[in-house]
Amino acid sequence: MFNVLGSSSKSIFLPFIFSLFIFTIHHSLFTIHLLFAEEYKFEASEFEKKPYRIGGYIEFYPVLFGLDKNSSLYKLNFYNRSEGSTTEQYNANLQLEGSLEKGILRAYVKTFTNYTNSYQTETTKITVFEGKISIKPTDSFIAEAGKKTLNWGKGYAWNPVAFLDRTKDPNDPELSREGFIVGSLDFTKSLSGPLKTFSFTPVLIPVYSGVNDDFGELDHLNFASKFYFLLYDTDIDLMFLTGGSKTTRYGMDFSRNLASNLEIHGEFSWINDFKKTITDSSGNTSQDRYNAINYLIGLRYLTEKDTTFILEYYHNGTGYNHKEMSDFFTFIDRAYEMYTSEGNRTMLNKAINLASNAYGRINPAKNYLYLRISQKDPFDILYWTPAVTLITNIDDKSFSLMPEISYTGITNFEFRLRGGPIVGTRSSEYGEKQNDYRIDFRMRYYF
Amino acid sequence: MKRMVIFLLALFIAIPVFAIDGTQLLKEIDRNLNPESYELYRKLINIEPDGRKKEYVLFTAKKGKDKVAALFLSPASDKGRSTLRLGDNMWLYIPNVGKPVRITSLQSVVGGIFNNADIMQLDYSDEYTVEKIEDLKNQYLLHLKAKTKTVAYDRLKFWADKKTKTPVKIECRTEADMLIKTLYFKEIKDFGGGIIRPSIIETDSPLYKGYKSIIIIAGIKKREFKDEVFTLTFMPKMESLR
């Protein structure tokens, strides 16, 4: 709960980023002379296979937040401290991957080390994202055991059928995520005719103290399966999860090219006996039990000028409607008032507890729209990609708008600068977030 | 009499052109470029107007008429990415994303002048019909038309060497005959196993003035694969084919 860099660091934030760009340009100009001197060559050593592999990336990722001091979530997170109009977070991440292959056996591990320095804390955390052993006796049969991600679903921003994965962040959907410890098989058969491929993936997920204990209720061995069909040039998956740690759920997804530049995809899931904790505006909680239906429908469209549109609509049947969200924010405001007027933290603690569970999910509401427009190589300048991402809560019309620019022109480097407003009226989801805007910069080096 | 002589002369000159079976010639060119099923190692180089360049090394597996998969071996930022094509269906697998995503033939996986269809190319004779052949001095000029709308370039002007029956130059054009890019095939090399073909393909494009792309082929050989190699499940495991 301290800020090592102090308030003076705010003034160096953007100049620091600028310096990085200057360094990059300088570095790249310096290398031009070296590159001109080279001949085009392709040696066998460049593709010689080794039994082991080590790689990954290291990144620097500072974030500047513009605070909204009137918002409910600001009051909840900053109730006992005074901040200026902005606050920063400095992140440094190291993702390491290693693999070893011997005959039909393969071992693989991926770790993620995160250093964060923010107004709240300074932490370093090492997480094993994946660590598994694979056996591949034939090209159509693979058995795996260990920690892994399944990544079910066809959606870009959300995946309502990802029963065995941690929730994706639609602000950065391509980030690696931590897996769960599972045992799985993959059986695949290629066929001729309208059904070109069939795959069957059964998965066992043990949930016990110390093993996947954040997946759901403890002391259950859960079972899930996915059936994949490439039928009439359409990807179709059917899946289910049962076993006790979570209520039984069923899902399906599909993806298909409607034209050479247009793809459509969708997901549907049905969750049996879902339990939802709801609070009223006074903090009285109740539990609602129902069969929840979630679905997503999306498009990916590429224009002749290389502009890509990704559009998705997501209905989150497990989420809260506008009134339920509004009641939660009103409760926070009342709890904050009680704390400031009487010094009583009881209600505030209850609000914090609710915010750290279902209300605090990345997307806790019912209906969302996602739109991302990106332009590859604008004005025929290679490796620059400007983009803009809009995430809207349809019910309360609040949104986050994030323009960005990324550059990948230097081998193994990736730069991304983005920033934008978080907009909404009082009692709306984005209007009550603790920030009015955010700006972040990511410099990543792959090795 | 004079007219008859001119007619016979014209007929004599024209006969070799009409005698060429365009489809058969294109199939011969395909087979000279690569076996129907093969493995291939190649390097793609994008060169910017200021001389800076970016290189990619790929391993490719192809089977039959409509199955091709490619795996990026370098640079580190792209290592482990794989692409799969089953007929008109294409997918991209990015290790960080962790699942294959459907893509279109027109999208670019690597940036630069290359698009997905260049990286996962099928035989020319499977994607194009020969509309016309011109008999030039040392070359044939084939006018090709895409069989379906899903093919990346609607029209090709295809110059082939008469002696080696391999491509010399290909112009990729739109339906409206706008030039998208030109491929130049260079340095014929014996890769063994009866494969003698150009080892370097240079590309330029009026859409990317000053930019150039080069493909260098280091190894190509005939190889049979199981059909299951060309499936979504196998995409993360492609390295095991090498």
Side-chain angles (χ1 to χ4, degrees):
Chain A
M1 306 274 273
F2 60 94
N3 183 351
V4 167
L5 293 155
S7 58
S8 63
S9 64
K10 288 169 191 168
S11 59
I12 64 161
F13 185 85
L14 288 174
F16 180 70
I17 289 170
F18 184 70
S19 309
L20 277 170
F21 267 113
I22 295 296
F23 164 77
T24 302
I25 290 162
H26 178 266
H27 175 79
S28 57
L29 288 172
F30 174 71
T31 54
I32 286 170
H33 298 286
L34 300 173
L35 296 169
F36 264 130
E38 285 180 26
E39 289 294 317
Y40 303 128
K41 57 183 182 188
F42 190 16
E43 308 287 346
S45 59
E46 293 182 60
F47 54 86
E48 191 182 5
K49 188 174 177 178
K50 297 187 178 88
Y52 62 87
R53 189 215 153 196
I54 295 170
Y57 66 77
I58 187 161
E59 70 179 10
F60 176 58
Y61 183 32
V63 189
L64 178 73
F65 298 103
L67 299 171
D68 176 2
K69 293 189 169 184
N70 296 318
S71 70
S72 299
L73 292 179
Y74 176 88
K75 291 171 188 166
L76 196 68
N77 295 327
F78 292 83
Y79 66 92
N80 58 351
R81 76 172 74 86
S82 177
E83 289 290 330
S85 57
T86 60
T87 183
E88 316 91 39
Q89 189 181 77
Y90 294 88
N91 302 284
N93 299 320
L94 171 69
Q95 182 169 294
L96 274 177
E97 286 175 79
S99 64
L100 186 65
E101 209 171 315
K102 180 82 177 165
I104 61 169
L105 286 172
R106 182 174 184 258
Y108 171 79
V109 67
K110 182 197 280 185
T111 64
F112 188 79
T113 305
N114 164 252
Y115 165 80
T116 296
N117 187 320
S118 71
Y119 69 90
Q120 272 178 315
T121 183
E122 184 185 20
T123 56
T124 302
K125 189 181 174 191
I126 302 172
T127 311
V128 178
F129 272 13
E130 295 191 67
K132 62 188 179 186
I133 303 280
S134 308
I135 303 169
K136 189 168 75 69
T138 73
D139 290 336
S140 55
F141 181 81
I142 302 160
E144 292 189 318
K147 195 171 188 181
K148 64 179 271 191
T149 52
L150 277 295
N151 296 303
W152 289 356
K154 303 293 184 202
Y156 182 73
W158 300 282
N159 293 115
V161 300
F163 299 148
L164 306 177
D165 292 301
R166 288 166 211 276
T167 310
K168 195 190 262 184
D169 181 357
N171 294 302
D172 234 333
E174 296 192 356
L175 285 183
S176 295
R177 283 166 291 157
E178 185 184 355
F180 287 107
I181 295 167
V182 301
S184 70
L185 302 176
D186 273 311
F187 172 75
T188 304
K189 184 75 190 158
S190 289
L191 305 150
S192 53
L195 178 61
K196 286 197 176 78
T197 311
F198 168 74
S199 292
F200 171 51
T201 308
V203 187
L204 281 175
I205 316 107
V207 179
Y208 298 95
S209 177
V211 181
N212 298 331
D213 45 17
D214 54 345
F215 182 81
E217 198 176 291
L218 296 185
D219 301 323
H220 295 285
L221 181 61
N222 302 275
F223 179 62
S225 280
K226 184 173 74 130
F227 303 86
Y228 165 76
F229 310 86
L230 176 56
L231 182 65
Y232 289 107
D233 290 334
T234 307
D235 295 314
I236 300 168
D237 291 297
L238 302 174
M239 57 279 278
F240 69 84
L241 165 68
T242 190
S245 292
K246 289 183 175 175
T247 56
T248 299
R249 50 204 66 198
Y250 305 91
M252 74 85 66
D253 67 35
F254 74 93
S255 173
R256 180 184 171 82
N257 283 85
L258 296 178
S260 62
N261 60 346
L262 177 63
E263 180 262 1
I264 183 169
H265 56 266
E267 298 186 23
F268 175 89
S269 69
W270 186 84
I271 301 175
N272 183 47
D273 195 24
F274 179 74
K275 299 177 190 73
K276 184 165 82 175
T277 302
I278 302 169
T279 180
D280 64 14
S281 56
S282 303
N284 302 309
T285 55
S286 59
Q287 204 167 61
D288 201 0
R289 296 177 73 142
Y290 59 100
N291 298 328
I293 290 171
N294 309 304
Y295 53 87
L296 174 141
I297 185 87
L299 293 170
R300 189 185 287 247
Y301 176 65
L302 180 75
T303 68
E304 276 184 10
K305 293 199 177 297
D306 258 339
T307 310
T308 301
F309 292 81
I310 300 173
L311 178 67
E312 290 185 344
Y313 165 70
Y314 171 45
H315 174 76
N316 176 17
T318 65
Y320 297 100
N321 62 34
H322 184 30
K323 184 183 179 307
E324 288 165 345
M325 290 297 292
S326 180
D327 282 349
F328 172 61
F329 295 131
T330 306
F331 170 53
I332 294 174
D333 290 343
R334 286 180 178 172
Y336 179 72
E337 254 179 62
M338 180 175 276
Y339 171 73
T340 50
S341 60
E342 301 171 24
N344 185 345
R345 274 183 49 167
T346 314
M347 278 174 70
L348 209 51
N349 285 342
K350 191 171 183 180
I352 289 168
N353 186 42
L354 286 167
S356 64
N357 288 295
Y359 282 98
R361 283 178 287 178
I362 292 172
N363 289 118
K366 277 242 188 265
N367 295 294
Y368 290 96
L369 194 73
Y370 178 94
L371 174 65
R372 181 176 168 82
I373 306 169
S374 59
Q375 175 63 53
K376 181 185 153 281
D377 307 335
F379 312 111
D380 300 335
I381 305 166
L382 294 187
Y383 308 121
W384 290 92
T385 306
V388 61
T389 304
L390 173 76
I391 305 173
T392 310
N393 178 327
I394 295 171
D395 299 323
D396 63 22
K397 296 178 180 58
S398 63
F399 61 90
S400 123
L401 184 71
M402 194 70 81
E404 68 176 61
I405 178 94
S406 61
Y407 178 68
T408 55
I410 302 168
T411 300
N412 292 330
F413 275 95
E414 200 179 282
F415 304 89
R416 185 186 72 184
L417 178 65
R418 63 179 190 173
I422 299 161
V423 180
T425 55
R426 289 272 80 90
S427 294
S428 67
E429 181 189 349
Y430 287 92
E432 295 294 3
K433 288 205 184 284
Q434 74 171 34
N435 307 310
D436 266 338
Y437 64 89
R438 65 174 279 167
I439 300 168
D440 65 53
F441 174 73
R442 189 173 77 188
M443 182 177 76
R444 186 179 280 184
Y445 173 69
Y446 292 89
F447 54 88
Chain B
M1 184 62 191
K2 197 177 169 187
R3 276 186 182 177
M4 180 67 91
V5 170
I6 291 167
F7 174 74
L8 286 172
L9 261 173
L11 194 67
F12 179 74
I13 293 163
I15 277 171
V17 177
F18 286 113
I20 301 161
D21 179 339
T23 309
Q24 191 53 42
L25 175 61
L26 196 57
K27 280 184 179 170
E28 265 188 77
I29 292 169
D30 279 329
R31 283 298 68 80
N32 289 338
L33 282 175
N34 45 254
E36 196 168 52
S37 298
Y38 63 85
E39 68 164 39
L40 164 72
Y41 286 96
R42 61 190 155 154
K43 180 187 270 187
L44 276 60
I45 309 171
N46 279 330
I47 304 164
E48 292 185 51
D50 62 7
R52 280 191 304 166
K53 60 181 183 174
K54 203 167 175 190
E55 299 185 349
Y56 305 86
V57 176
L58 282 94
F59 167 76
T60 305
K62 180 177 175 282
K63 180 174 185 177
K65 288 179 181 301
D66 68 345
K67 297 182 183 72
V68 59
L71 171 72
F72 285 77
L73 306 178
S74 72
S77 55
D78 294 83
K79 192 175 170 68
R81 278 181 183 225
S82 60
T83 54
L84 170 67
R85 178 173 185 180
L86 275 179
D88 294 334
N89 302 290
M90 288 189 195
W91 297 268
L92 168 67
Y93 172 81
I94 301 172
N96 256 1
V97 177
K99 65 180 173 188
V101 176
R102 234 171 217 274
I103 52 173
T104 71
S105 55
L106 299 176
Q107 267 177 315
S108 174
V109 174
V110 295
I113 302 171
F114 299 108
N115 66 25
N116 294 341
D118 299 323
I119 290 166
M120 296 180 283
Q121 193 181 17
L122 304 176
D123 285 351
Y124 289 106
S125 55
D126 287 328
E127 296 200 291
Y128 291 93
T129 52
V130 183
E131 283 190 328
K132 194 171 83 174
I133 301 179
E134 290 178 44
D135 191 349
L136 309 177
K137 194 180 171 192
N138 298 316
Q139 295 172 353
Y140 296 114
L141 171 56
L142 292 84
H143 296 260
L144 308 185
K145 169 90 175 109
K147 288 179 179 174
T148 65
K149 291 273 182 197
T150 56
V151 177
Y153 311 112
D154 189 69
R155 291 182 175 276
L156 299 183
K157 281 176 84 173
F158 192 120
W159 285 263
D161 183 69
K162 274 186 181 173
K163 196 174 157 195
T164 59
K165 289 192 177 154
T166 54
V168 176
K169 185 172 103 170
I170 299 175
E171 287 181 1
C172 306
R173 293 173 173 272
T174 64
E175 198 171 4
D177 208 31
M178 187 181 90
L179 179 64
I180 301 174
K181 64 183 182 186
T182 308
L183 282 66
Y184 305 90
F185 293 75
K186 295 178 176 176
E187 293 191 29
I188 299 258
K189 183 178 166 185
D190 187 345
F191 288 95
I195 305 168
I196 302 166
R197 56 157 293 164
S199 59
I200 291 179
I201 305 163
E202 285 185 10
T203 308
D204 58 33
S205 167
L207 306 179
Y208 295 93
K209 285 193 176 68
Y211 290 91
K212 199 162 76 166
S213 288
I214 292 170
I215 298 176
I216 308 171
I217 293 168
I220 177 167
K221 68 176 182 187
K222 189 173 179 176
R223 184 173 166 189
E224 294 301 327
F225 297 96
K226 280 188 74 175
D227 285 342
E228 282 73 17
V229 163
F230 303 92
T231 58
L232 299 196
T233 320
F234 202 84
M235 287 183 81
K237 321 284 180 200
M238 262 202 76
E239 179 70 28
S240 67
L241 291 179
R242 305 207 301 130

